[in-house]
Amino acid sequence: PYESHEPLSWLILHNDDVNTFDHVIESLCEVVRHDEIQAEQCAMITHYKGKCDIKKGTHDALAPLRDQLLQRYLSVTIDT
């Protein structure tokens, strides 16, 4: 199988004090394909710690997910 040598990055969700838990959870389920429990845990970690790693992958794979989450007004970044 083809192996990418592109470094892996993290898609990071940041706390914003604007969006509801329901909106964050729904967005993580729909965009990042988390199950509801995983999405709830990420939302809680983000709320209490200020941020949470929500997905690992190549920058090229994470960029479209970041863009979709930004369109939903979530605060997300890609960190290497």
Side-chain angles (χ1 to χ4, degrees), residues 14-71:
H14 299 271
N15 193 27
D16 60 15
D17 293 324
V18 175
N19 291 294
T20 64
F21 277 101
D22 287 342
H23 178 67
V24 172
I25 291 164
E26 180 180 299
S27 297
L28 292 177
C29 289
E30 290 177 5
V31 176
V32 190
R33 300 284 179 232
H34 283 186
D35 61 37
E36 198 160 319
I37 292 171
Q38 187 178 13
E40 284 178 18
Q41 290 173 337
C42 287
M44 293 302 286
I45 290 168
T46 302
H47 179 71
Y48 287 110
K49 296 199 172 201
K51 65 182 182 179
C52 179
D53 307 342
I54 55 174
K55 183 130 180 113
K56 185 178 188 179
T58 63
H59 189 280
D60 288 349
L62 297 176
L65 301 177
R66 176 200 58 203
D67 295 345
Q68 290 177 57
L69 292 170
L70 289 172
Q71 288 174 356

